[in-house]
Amino acid sequence: MIEHLVRKNILALKPYSCARDEFKGRPAHVFLDANESAHNAPYNRYPDPLQEQLKERISAIKGVSAQSIFLGNGSDEAIDLVYRIFCEPGVDNVVAIEPTYGMYGVCADINNVEYRTVPLSAVDYAMSADALLQACDEHTKVIWICTPNNPTGNDMDRRELQRVLTEFNGIVVVDEAYGDFSDMQPVRNYLQHFPRMIVLNTFSKAWASASIRLGMAFASPEIIDFFNKVKYPYNVNLLTQQAATELLKNMDRLERWTNEVKHERAHMMPCLAELSMVKQVYPSAANFLLVKVTDADAIYKYLIERGIVVRNRNRVALCQGGLRITIGTKDENNELLAALRRYGHAF
Ligand code: PMP
């Protein structure tokens, strides 16, 4: 059903077959098939190319069947694969909200795919399904929607999103990297309704494991098959699979961390809003706040000099004067507030 959207060379691709794929299912104890070393177990062996055990655990937690899950080296891997599977370089284009996460555009450039942007509302960063659909033509293969959006922090309106999902005939990627911090229903719950939707999740945000580089894509088994065909054979290493498996044994901890972020976010909003240099604090459903200030470059530099790093978004479309501030621990947040309160004072 999605074959007409896939690049012809990918449709015709005969994927690499791993040594271990060829004997699968039969018991064995002498492995002389993959030119591995006989020493240094367990690291001498190639990891499971399809991460089946880990997918079973994720499936139970996310309520998505294992056949509908792709795991990659961060969700950045899934973003790049979307281009490589669906977009013919120099011919096809994609459409994205603006501003949004920078890698959609960078991967478009790397893959030589035209990247069309549709500005969000300058008032509240709302998206317009009409505007997105109007930006499409017969060569538009993908629409990128990030919700909650980075760097604006807001949820995209669900009716607008639904319109894009029903009216656009290509692939719609909904990036829910920050979805755990939002009160909205996760979009992955609607996978069955939208066979051309790909939902991105990550271990890097609420699951507090950015260093292990593990991202998830949820989509129809048909789409996931193409991801599996095109990805590097052993794209998720053993250490990452082990670390993720350990993490998922303690879901209470994840919930506690997320609640702490939400609590601190609610606390930080009014504290920031009352500072003299703050012009606006935007509502956020993510683990960061977009804050417009009187002089973003100067305040950014001032904070750096005090060892506090925030993200300067001053030169990003519709974010002029904006700093993106991640919610940290209570102590870190208080240190930031104390430094900002001293801004402009000699001591
Ligand atoms: N999507 C969004 C919206 C992000 O902000 C980020 C990282 N900041 C990513 C995806 C990439 O996450 P990962 O660490 O899984 O590659």
Side-chain angles (χ1 to χ4, degrees):
M1 210 202 323
I2 51 130
E3 256 132 33
H4 63 288
L5 296 169
V6 175
R7 290 169 63 196
K8 291 201 171 44
N9 61 315
I10 302 299
L11 268 184
L13 181 72
K14 194 173 172 300
Y16 177 72
S17 164
C18 303
R20 219 94 327 144
D21 283 344
E22 290 172 13
F23 85 98
K24 234 180 170 180
R26 268 165 275 160
H29 62 283
V30 179
F31 293 102
L32 304 177
D33 56 343
N35 296 348
E36 296 155 334
S37 170
H39 308 289
N40 197 31
Y43 306 112
N44 56 337
R45 300 294 175 197
Y46 283 104
D48 175 2
L50 292 174
Q51 312 95 23
E52 283 176 3
Q53 285 183 5
L54 180 54
K55 281 181 185 168
E56 286 303 333
R57 284 177 187 272
I58 294 174
S59 164
I61 291 163
K62 296 277 184 179
V64 173
S65 78
Q67 297 71 37
S68 280
I69 302 175
F70 162 82
L71 299 179
N73 184 343
S75 20
D76 288 339
E77 181 180 351
I79 293 168
D80 187 51
L81 284 173
V82 166
Y83 286 101
R84 293 165 67 200
I85 294 166
F86 297 107
C87 301
E88 196 56 46
V91 177
D92 289 333
N93 66 68
V94 303
V95 169
I97 56 172
E98 161 116 322
T100 194
Y101 179 47
M103 281 302 281
Y104 313 143
V106 172
C107 287
D109 289 345
I110 292 170
N111 287 284
N112 190 24
V113 171
E114 184 195 347
Y115 185 73
R116 299 182 175 184
T117 56
V118 174
L120 295 171
S121 145
V123 182
D124 58 2
Y125 297 124
M127 86 174 197
S128 151
D130 275 334
L132 283 165
L133 294 165
Q134 270 162 27
C136 299
D137 64 15
E138 73 274 21
H139 291 296
T140 306
K141 286 290 187 66
V142 180
I143 296 182
W144 294 95
I145 294 170
C146 185
T147 180
N149 187 36
N150 176 9
T152 58
N154 58 317
D155 286 309
M156 294 297 124
D157 184 276
R158 284 299 149 96
R159 278 160 308 183
E160 296 295 303
L161 178 59
Q162 190 171 340
R163 273 201 56 208
V164 174
L165 286 162
T166 42
E167 292 179 34
F168 179 58
N169 292 322
I171 300 291
V172 180
V173 183
V174 183
D175 186 345
E176 289 196 305
Y178 300 98
D180 296 279
F181 304 108
S182 163
D183 294 327
M184 295 259 189
Q185 278 283 319
V187 169
R188 66 170 185 277
N189 293 354
Y190 304 96
L191 271 182
Q192 312 281 352
H193 297 85
F194 303 110
R196 285 173 277 97
M197 175 168 78
I198 299 172
V199 179
L200 303 182
N201 277 196
T202 179
F203 275 67
S204 302
K205 309 298 174 187
W207 289 12
S209 304
S211 75
I212 72 171
R213 308 306 302 132
L214 190 59
M216 299 163 262
F218 307 124
S220 69
E222 199 186 355
I223 292 179
I224 296 300
D225 277 350
F226 283 108
F227 275 83
N228 290 338
K229 253 183 148 184
V230 176
K231 76 180 185 70
Y232 290 161
Y234 306 102
N235 62 326
V236 178
N237 71 70
L238 177 69
L239 296 172
T240 295
Q241 295 190 44
Q242 285 175 338
T245 304
E246 276 310 302
L247 182 84
L248 297 182
K249 285 184 183 157
N250 194 344
M251 291 303 292
D252 292 353
R253 206 165 46 139
L254 300 188
E255 202 181 315
R256 190 153 31 85
W257 290 338
T258 306
N259 287 338
E260 194 180 298
V261 168
K262 288 184 177 178
H263 180 82
E264 273 300 296
R265 183 179 70 195
H267 169 70
M268 288 295 281
M269 278 196 69
C271 292
L272 287 164
E274 72 183 22
L275 297 173
S276 59
M277 83 281 271
V278 170
K279 297 211 271 191
Q280 194 163 358
V281 183
Y282 287 86
S284 171
N287 67 340
F288 57 83
L289 292 165
L290 180 66
V291 182
K292 290 228 177 130
V293 293
T294 47
D295 187 342
D297 289 347
I299 294 167
Y300 174 77
K301 194 161 158 280
Y302 164 86
L303 289 172
I304 292 273
E305 280 158 7
R306 276 144 195 85
I308 300 171
V309 194
V310 297
R311 191 92 149 112
N312 187 356
R313 299 285 75 186
N314 197 19
R315 270 161 280 279
V316 169
L318 299 178
C319 292
Q320 288 77 14
L323 298 176
R324 194 194 68 192
I325 301 175
T326 306
I327 304 296
T329 62
K330 193 171 256 315
D331 285 351
E332 289 169 336
N333 301 335
N334 285 339
E335 192 175 330
L336 170 83
L337 289 172
L340 288 174
R341 284 186 191 116
R342 282 196 304 274
Y343 181 71
H345 301 281
F347 300 103

